[in-house]
mmCIF file of all heavy atoms in Angstrom:
data_model
loop_
_atom_site.group_PDB
_atom_site.id
_atom_site.type_symbol
_atom_site.label_atom_id
_atom_site.label_comp_id
_atom_site.label_asym_id
_atom_site.label_seq_id
_atom_site.Cartn_x
_atom_site.Cartn_y
_atom_site.Cartn_z
ATOM 1 N N GLN A 23 -33.652 -79.146 -3.775
ATOM 2 C CA GLN A 23 -33.475 -78.468 -2.455
ATOM 3 C C GLN A 23 -34.075 -79.418 -1.430
ATOM 4 O O GLN A 23 -35.224 -79.268 -0.989
ATOM 5 C CB GLN A 23 -34.220 -77.089 -2.439
ATOM 6 C CG GLN A 23 -33.652 -76.104 -3.459
ATOM 7 C CD GLN A 23 -32.308 -75.633 -3.017
ATOM 8 O OE1 GLN A 23 -31.897 -75.764 -1.869
ATOM 9 N NE2 GLN A 23 -31.526 -75.109 -4.006
ATOM 10 N N ARG A 92 -35.115 -84.972 9.223
ATOM 11 C CA ARG A 92 -34.147 -85.631 8.398
ATOM 12 C C ARG A 92 -33.447 -86.730 9.160
ATOM 13 O O ARG A 92 -33.084 -86.575 10.320
ATOM 14 C CB ARG A 92 -33.109 -84.642 7.873
ATOM 15 C CG ARG A 92 -32.181 -85.204 6.869
ATOM 16 C CD ARG A 92 -31.056 -84.266 6.541
ATOM 17 N NE ARG A 92 -30.173 -84.090 7.705
ATOM 18 C CZ ARG A 92 -29.012 -83.390 7.651
ATOM 19 N NH1 ARG A 92 -28.648 -82.785 6.531
ATOM 20 N NH2 ARG A 92 -28.284 -83.303 8.711
ATOM 21 N N VAL A 139 -28.060 -108.084 68.167
ATOM 22 C CA VAL A 139 -28.521 -106.966 69.004
ATOM 23 C C VAL A 139 -27.367 -106.311 69.738
ATOM 24 O O VAL A 139 -27.261 -105.096 69.849
ATOM 25 C CB VAL A 139 -29.620 -107.481 69.949
ATOM 26 C CG1 VAL A 139 -30.015 -106.331 70.936
ATOM 27 C CG2 VAL A 139 -30.827 -107.935 69.225
ATOM 28 N N SER A 177 -37.301 -97.691 86.299
ATOM 29 C CA SER A 177 -37.238 -96.381 85.739
ATOM 30 C C SER A 177 -35.789 -96.069 85.324
ATOM 31 O O SER A 177 -34.852 -96.485 86.037
ATOM 32 C CB SER A 177 -37.724 -95.304 86.723
ATOM 33 O OG SER A 177 -39.089 -95.534 87.053
ATOM 34 N N PHE A 213 -49.622 -111.111 77.944
ATOM 35 C CA PHE A 213 -49.904 -112.586 77.912
ATOM 36 C C PHE A 213 -50.771 -112.969 76.757
ATOM 37 O O PHE A 213 -50.573 -114.012 76.114
ATOM 38 C CB PHE A 213 -50.581 -112.971 79.233
ATOM 39 C CG PHE A 213 -49.652 -112.919 80.427
ATOM 40 C CD1 PHE A 213 -50.135 -112.703 81.711
ATOM 41 C CD2 PHE A 213 -48.294 -113.119 80.277
ATOM 42 C CE1 PHE A 213 -49.290 -112.697 82.753
ATOM 43 C CE2 PHE A 213 -47.436 -113.095 81.327
ATOM 44 C CZ PHE A 213 -47.951 -112.869 82.586
ATOM 45 N N TRP A 353 -27.183 -106.966 96.188
ATOM 46 C CA TRP A 353 -27.466 -107.639 97.432
ATOM 47 C C TRP A 353 -26.210 -108.347 97.962
ATOM 48 O O TRP A 353 -25.408 -108.799 97.170
ATOM 49 C CB TRP A 353 -28.635 -108.641 97.270
ATOM 50 C CG TRP A 353 -29.889 -107.974 96.778
ATOM 51 C CD1 TRP A 353 -30.223 -106.645 96.896
ATOM 52 C CD2 TRP A 353 -30.963 -108.568 96.041
ATOM 53 N NE1 TRP A 353 -31.446 -106.400 96.294
ATOM 54 C CE2 TRP A 353 -31.931 -107.581 95.782
ATOM 55 C CE3 TRP A 353 -31.228 -109.860 95.628
ATOM 56 C CZ2 TRP A 353 -33.135 -107.820 95.139
ATOM 57 C CZ3 TRP A 353 -32.415 -110.119 94.961
ATOM 58 C CH2 TRP A 353 -33.366 -109.089 94.727
ATOM 59 N N LEU A 437 -23.089 -115.721 121.857
ATOM 60 C CA LEU A 437 -23.189 -114.284 121.398
ATOM 61 C C LEU A 437 -23.126 -113.365 122.632
ATOM 62 O O LEU A 437 -23.498 -113.773 123.728
ATOM 63 C CB LEU A 437 -24.450 -114.068 120.650
ATOM 64 C CG LEU A 437 -24.599 -114.798 119.302
ATOM 65 C CD1 LEU A 437 -25.977 -114.534 118.674
ATOM 66 C CD2 LEU A 437 -23.476 -114.483 118.339
ATOM 67 N N LYS A 476 -34.802 -134.625 97.795
ATOM 68 C CA LYS A 476 -35.716 -135.700 98.270
ATOM 69 C C LYS A 476 -36.317 -135.245 99.620
ATOM 70 O O LYS A 476 -36.888 -134.186 99.752
ATOM 71 C CB LYS A 476 -35.009 -137.001 98.306
ATOM 72 C CG LYS A 476 -34.377 -137.419 97.002
ATOM 73 C CD LYS A 476 -33.635 -138.734 97.084
ATOM 74 C CE LYS A 476 -32.922 -139.067 95.800
ATOM 75 N NZ LYS A 476 -32.173 -140.361 95.842
ATOM 76 N N ARG A 498 -50.635 -141.324 92.632
ATOM 77 C CA ARG A 498 -51.738 -142.174 92.278
ATOM 78 C C ARG A 498 -52.782 -141.465 91.433
ATOM 79 O O ARG A 498 -53.539 -142.077 90.680
ATOM 80 C CB ARG A 498 -52.407 -142.695 93.532
ATOM 81 C CG ARG A 498 -51.532 -143.764 94.239
ATOM 82 C CD ARG A 498 -52.067 -144.100 95.580
ATOM 83 N NE ARG A 498 -51.251 -145.122 96.236
ATOM 84 C CZ ARG A 498 -51.174 -145.282 97.559
ATOM 85 N NH1 ARG A 498 -51.889 -144.506 98.365
ATOM 86 N NH2 ARG A 498 -50.444 -146.259 98.073
ATOM 87 N N THR A 502 -51.399 -142.718 83.617
ATOM 88 C CA THR A 502 -50.228 -143.387 83.027
ATOM 89 C C THR A 502 -50.034 -142.909 81.579
ATOM 90 O O THR A 502 -50.938 -142.993 80.768
ATOM 91 C CB THR A 502 -50.379 -144.911 83.058
ATOM 92 O OG1 THR A 502 -50.622 -145.251 84.392
ATOM 93 C CG2 THR A 502 -49.104 -145.577 82.534
ATOM 94 N N ASN A 533 -34.609 -142.746 100.274
ATOM 95 C CA ASN A 533 -34.587 -142.975 98.824
ATOM 96 C C ASN A 533 -35.907 -142.618 98.245
ATOM 97 O O ASN A 533 -36.983 -143.099 98.678
ATOM 98 C CB ASN A 533 -34.247 -144.453 98.562
ATOM 99 C CG ASN A 533 -33.824 -144.650 97.120
ATOM 100 O OD1 ASN A 533 -34.255 -143.968 96.238
ATOM 101 N ND2 ASN A 533 -32.928 -145.650 96.937
#
Side-chain angles (χ1 to χ4, degrees):
Q23 296 290 341
R92 188 187 68 173
V139 174
S177 299
F213 288 152
W353 300 338
L437 297 177
K476 304 179 184 179
R498 287 170 180 157
T502 305
N533 197 329

